[in-house]
Amino acid sequence: MTRTSWGNFPRAQQSVRRVDWLSDADLKADGSVLPYAYGRSYGDSCLNDGGTLLDVSGAGRLIGFDPATGVMRAEAGMSLAQLLEFAVPRGFFLPVTPGTKYVSLGGAVANDIHGKNHHRAGTFGRHVQALELLRSDGSRLVCSRTENPELFAATVGGLGLTGLVTWVELSLRPIVSATIDTETIKFANLDDFFEVSAASDSRFEFTVSWVDCAAQGKRLGRGLYMGGNHATEPGPLTASPPPRLAAPFNAPDFALNRWTVTAFNTAYYHKQRERVVRKPAHYEGFFYPLDAVNDWNRIYGARGFLQYQFVLPFAGDTAAIKEIFARIAASKLGSFLAVLKMFGDLPSPGMLSFPLPGVTLALDFPNEGQKTFALLNDLDALIRQGGGRVYPAKDARMSGASFRTFFPNWREFSEYIDPAFSSSFWRRVTADAPAEAVVQAEPQLAGVR
Ligand SMILES: Cc1cc2nc3c(=O)[nH]c(=O)nc-3n(C[C@H](O)[C@H](O)[C@H](O)COP(=O)(O)OP(=O)(O)OC[C@H]3O[C@@H](n4cnc5c(N)ncnc54)[C@H](O)[C@@H]3O)c2cc1C
């Protein structure tokens, strides 16, 4: 049985054990273990080369739901798609959702994921009331803000390393319709984006922008800003339809190149002629446009691709973000799936949670080997200088030194790692940590959380 991450890079050789009943999960293995659900992480944080993956995707039973409060408890392998099928007809929605619904509750916790409403709702972990953690010593610990709070803070955003999450208790959000009232605003460049965002973010619960990362000069960072609110008029509460299309095979490597990417971006930007378009939409199309095509990651071919997401603190100075956009556009290596958003300032509950207040950009790079890696290393340096960070859930290549700069309390976090658990990502970013630097760093790290 092979298990891959969404970017199909890197590949790992590992044993796979299905864990369909989390109540009697066996965590013993010859080497280390790592939970794995739907493999929607892009890089190697869900891989365990040389070890064992505990595949929990079959363990998604509903445990309890209180319609008066919207609090639901379910096994950690439940996907957000399954959750929505249950909750939407009952008038509830996810408090935070990523750009795909094929993500498990356990995966959402382990990466403390964020969505289009980060500026209003913060990260997923803020809405988790409690969870149960199974450790390799056989202990089962309920963790929340009041019970085992340190282990809760380590597990939320803890990359699956603190133990196996068996169930998650989550507060859902009430809705009266499956419809989202949307507004799309075309922006001409990055300055225009920041103006639109400043003027409009407060009007919308959800905001996200698609950007043309191939545009240069006066058009640098042009794109479409999409705002949305859950409809307030009662309407049908229908859950999502199943996917319509499938990418049937790995596309040949020449399918995505500079010309197809530029042509797509230009056509997409011009598909809206007016500055502003308002229309109602089913939540499926608004939140999960990519889920319409099964296995769309195959269009990048056998070499796979790298997703890169960073956040940069933003206080009005656009020089650093413009420099990053200019480097990406000049490299001609970026793809057509580039997403820009302003994060809000609600604190994240996890020690290693990714979001910071500021501007975040996520985009795909077909894996073109050294060229791609060199560009991303340069971008890392700019992000380090600007006090930002890169998202581990989407990473396959950042250096250990970069990771430890981006997440200075990694050392404190590592004290909560279950000794039987490890991942390809964790070994990669900690292998070269100098022991003496680790010891010296400890006093400075106190209180960072
Ligand atoms: C199209 C697309 C859009 C996306 N959009 C966003 C977005 O908008 N925002 C965002 O934040 N992320 C986004 N992501 C990333 C995705 O949300 C995360 O990588 C998520 O963690 C994947 O969950 P998964 O269930 O597939 O878990 P996997 O990828 O299989 O595993 C992810 C991590 O969770 C751990 N884990 C899984 N189950 C458990 C468990 N039961 N107990 C303990 N640890 C566990 C694993 O060990 C691993 O560290 C997107 C991904 C895709 C493919």
Side-chain angles (χ1 to χ4, degrees):
M1 280 186 287
T2 53
R3 293 289 184 279
T4 53
S5 63
W6 195 244
N8 278 317
F9 177 85
R11 296 293 184 135
Q13 297 292 327
Q14 58 222 335
S15 318
V16 178
R17 184 190 306 155
R18 288 194 63 101
V19 181
D20 289 342
W21 293 94
L22 296 177
S23 47
D24 61 359
D26 175 11
L27 304 186
K28 292 193 185 60
D30 281 346
S32 62
V33 297
L34 182 75
Y36 179 97
Y38 297 99
R40 256 49 179 197
S41 301
Y42 285 81
D44 55 0
S45 67
C46 62
L47 302 177
N48 190 15
D49 198 29
T52 298
L53 287 183
L54 305 171
D55 181 340
V56 298
S57 57
R61 294 164 198 88
L62 178 68
I63 299 172
F65 176 64
D66 180 352
T69 59
V71 175
M72 156 183 224
R73 185 183 288 189
E75 285 184 315
M78 175 181 273
S79 70
L80 303 187
Q82 291 167 327
L83 188 155
L84 290 168
E85 270 171 40
F86 172 84
V88 170
R90 289 168 176 79
F92 286 95
F93 202 78
L94 286 160
V96 166
T97 180
T100 170
K101 59 189 183 301
Y102 301 118
V103 158
S104 67
L105 288 174
V109 167
N111 280 316
D112 195 16
I113 59 167
H114 56 271
K116 296 178 172 60
N117 59 351
H118 184 272
H119 61 296
R120 289 272 183 93
T123 61
F124 191 85
R126 289 178 64 92
H127 307 272
V128 172
Q129 299 306 323
L131 55 84
E132 185 189 67
L133 198 62
L134 175 61
R135 303 269 291 183
S136 61
D137 61 6
S139 57
R140 284 177 183 272
L141 301 163
V142 174
C143 303
S144 68
R145 278 166 204 79
T146 52
E147 216 173 336
N148 297 308
E150 294 85 8
L151 205 47
F152 182 77
T155 300
V156 173
L159 301 166
L161 296 168
T162 61
L164 183 72
V165 175
T166 62
W167 55 255
V168 176
E169 196 172 277
L170 183 69
S171 293
L172 304 182
R173 178 207 190 286
I175 52 169
V176 295
S177 163
T179 299
I180 305 287
D181 292 326
T182 73
E183 183 171 316
T184 305
I185 307 171
K186 199 169 183 175
F187 52 88
N189 51 38
L190 271 179
D191 288 328
D192 199 11
F193 162 78
F194 285 113
E195 275 169 35
V196 169
S197 191
S200 306
D201 278 5
S202 59
R203 290 194 293 126
F204 299 110
E205 183 174 349
F206 306 104
T207 66
V208 73
S209 297
W210 165 83
V211 267
D212 175 356
C213 62
Q216 304 196 49
K218 279 195 261 174
R219 296 173 180 154
L220 187 76
R222 69 178 179 180
L224 300 170
Y225 172 98
M226 290 163 258
N229 289 311
H230 281 290
T232 48
E233 282 289 304
L237 287 163
T238 41
S240 308
R244 293 185 297 275
L245 302 165
F249 52 82
N250 276 336
D253 289 336
F254 57 79
L256 272 182
N257 58 41
R258 166 187 330 176
W259 291 279
T260 51
V261 166
T262 306
F264 173 88
N265 276 317
T266 305
Y268 195 81
Y269 179 72
H270 289 297
K271 83 174 180 157
Q272 175 166 321
R273 294 175 65 186
E274 306 83 351
R275 167 88 168 166
V276 180
V277 170
R278 294 188 183 90
K279 61 177 185 203
H282 188 271
Y283 73 77
E284 176 71 22
F286 182 72
F287 289 115
Y288 312 119
L290 293 170
D291 286 350
V293 183
N294 263 336
D295 299 331
W296 61 260
N297 52 342
R298 290 174 168 198
I299 62 169
Y300 288 98
R303 282 188 298 180
F305 67 106
L306 298 124
Q307 160 122 158
Y308 189 74
Q309 180 170 3
F310 67 83
V311 56
L312 206 56
F314 180 73
D317 180 359
T318 56
I321 188 80
K322 281 183 180 159
E323 170 69 18
I324 292 172
F325 265 85
R327 294 234 191 152
I328 294 170
S331 76
K332 303 196 190 309
L333 293 172
S335 185
F336 47 82
L337 295 168
V339 174
L340 185 65
K341 175 171 170 63
M342 298 303 292
F343 276 153
D345 56 9
L346 290 170
S348 310
M351 285 180 200
L352 292 190
S353 295
F354 160 69
L356 293 172
V359 56
T360 183
L361 175 73
L363 76 164
D364 291 346
F365 290 92
N367 180 8
E368 297 191 24
Q370 201 39 44
K371 280 193 290 192
T372 313
F373 284 75
L375 171 71
L376 299 184
N377 285 341
D378 285 353
L379 298 185
D380 284 354
L382 295 173
I383 311 294
R384 282 199 307 268
Q385 269 170 31
R389 53 173 63 145
V390 169
Y391 193 9
K394 301 187 171 181
D395 178 68
R397 33 62 49 197
M398 76 169 106
S399 70
S402 286
F403 171 76
R404 298 188 299 270
T405 307
F406 295 147
F407 296 92
N409 50 354
W410 70 275
R411 179 67 191 152
E412 180 192 1
F413 163 79
S414 65
E415 286 163 22
Y416 296 94
I417 294 179
D418 186 299
F421 284 54
S422 185
S423 68
S424 298
F425 174 85
W426 191 253
R427 290 188 292 275
R428 176 165 62 79
V429 298
T430 56
D432 62 345
E436 60 281 16
V438 169
V439 174
Q440 282 163 12
E442 272 176 337
Q444 295 164 14
L445 290 172
V448 164
R449 192 191 345 157

